[in-house]
Amino acid sequence: MALLQTRGLTARYGDFQALFGVDMELAEGETVAVIGANGAGKTTLMRSISGLLRQAPEMVHYDGRQIGAMAADDIMEAGIAMVPEGRKLFPSLSVEENLLMGCHRRKVKGPWSLDSVYALFPILKERRHAPGTALSGGQQQMVSIGRALMSNPRVLLCDEISLGLAPVVIRDVYAAFPQIRASGASVIVVEQDIGQAMKIADRVYCMMEGRVTLSGRPGDLSREAIHDAYFGANA
Ligand SMILES: Nc1ncnc2c1ncn2[C@@H]1O[C@H](COP(=O)(O)OP(=O)(O)O)[C@@H](O)[C@H]1O
Ligand SMILES: [Mg+2]
């Protein structure tokens, strides 16, 4: 049984349909990458899982429950944490205050605390009194990931954590994922940029125009198949 699963997930913004029956699953301990071009529906998928967009109950299953219509706060309390697109730090709060915001709704014992987040990202400890806005883009992304970890989630959703970061910084941020995985979390990383996400993923889903166009283990997917699934066969 999958820990998290979407079944025929559809999503609309008014008259515009953004997702057309997405079936996806995440097993306990697994890391899955969701790749696709801008506008493919990746963020809509993440927001539907995390409750920021509410759908029919049966469209999202988690830990034996139907959560498709649950509110975001309840989903976070149940153990699904999101690193949102654009990081979304609280600008008036320090690094440490931002991190502490991550566990104010869900207080469960687990591997993640201020100490272990600082061990994962030592630069954040040095800068713990700085306002979130005084940090570099990469450091802000580390705070956003650390904040999500502070709730000791069973599922961590990461939406385009590499967006706008230099390649060397992306590598620094992604260097945290082996430890995050070792902590027991199941992870979904969403990216437009295929490289890093494919390196850490057990399985990959490719999306285009609101549908899953390809899925499988990274080693089993040819470059051509990925290209066609990402851009369309005629691109
Ligand atoms: N708030 C919104 N209102 C209307 N359309 C939206 C909204 N958010 C996203 N969309 C549309 O839904 C589609 C999927 O968007 P999104 O899920 O953000 O894709 P991605 O994250 O893969 O770039 C796009 O065509 C986008 O323009
Ligand atoms: Mg997006």
Side-chain angles (χ1 to χ4, degrees):
M1 260 304 278
L3 176 60
L4 177 71
Q5 194 176 37
T6 66
R7 296 188 192 162
L9 174 62
T10 58
R12 307 179 154 274
Y13 298 103
D15 288 342
F16 179 79
Q17 186 163 358
L19 297 179
F20 296 83
V22 171
D23 296 316
M24 178 169 296
E25 56 179 67
L26 177 70
E28 182 108 53
E30 194 178 33
T31 297
V32 157
V34 176
I35 59 173
N38 191 26
K42 306 179 301 296
T43 294
T44 304
L45 173 63
M46 292 304 105
R47 292 170 67 89
S48 298
I49 293 171
S50 64
L52 294 170
L53 292 171
R54 293 167 82 165
Q55 314 295 2
E58 67 278 8
M59 287 182 180
V60 187
H61 294 246
Y62 165 68
D63 196 21
R65 299 155 74 181
Q66 300 190 351
I67 64 159
M70 267 169 67
D73 280 348
D74 296 331
I75 288 178
M76 133 92 94
E77 242 179 292
I80 300 179
M82 173 122 113
V83 181
E85 198 174 55
R87 300 159 200 144
K88 309 266 175 10
L89 301 188
F90 300 97
S92 61
L93 301 185
S94 69
V95 166
E96 190 152 304
E97 288 165 338
N98 266 284
L99 291 174
L100 289 169
M101 288 302 285
C103 57
H104 82 116
R105 284 283 311 208
R106 176 174 155 92
K107 294 185 166 48
V108 301
K109 287 207 166 43
W112 298 106
S113 61
L114 275 180
D115 283 347
S116 54
V117 168
Y118 286 149
L120 184 67
F121 298 121
I123 186 69
L124 298 187
K125 186 169 189 181
E126 279 173 42
R127 309 226 54 197
R128 64 187 178 279
H129 300 305
T133 46
L135 306 179
S136 70
Q139 291 166 0
Q140 288 184 26
Q141 195 56 271
M142 291 169 188
V143 175
S144 187
I145 294 168
R147 181 177 58 186
L149 290 174
M150 288 291 288
S151 67
N152 281 298
R154 292 182 71 190
V155 175
L156 181 70
L157 308 174
C158 300
D159 195 354
E160 298 222 35
I161 53 177
S162 66
L163 199 67
L165 302 181
V168 53
V169 179
I170 295 172
R171 243 179 292 139
D172 281 353
V173 171
Y174 266 91
F177 279 84
Q179 270 170 273
I180 293 171
R181 159 188 283 239
S183 79
S186 311
V187 179
I188 300 181
V189 289
V190 165
E191 289 286 0
Q192 282 182 62
D193 173 58
I194 302 179
Q196 286 294 334
M198 294 278 275
K199 274 186 207 149
I200 65 162
D202 301 304
R203 285 187 309 114
V204 182
Y205 291 90
C206 190
M207 289 181 70
M208 187 173 56
E209 295 173 357
R211 293 181 168 85
V212 172
T213 45
L214 183 71
S215 64
R217 299 191 171 274
D220 294 342
L221 304 176
S222 71
R223 217 176 255 269
E224 292 71 29
I226 293 169
H227 179 277
D228 290 354
Y230 192 106
F231 296 108
N234 300 319

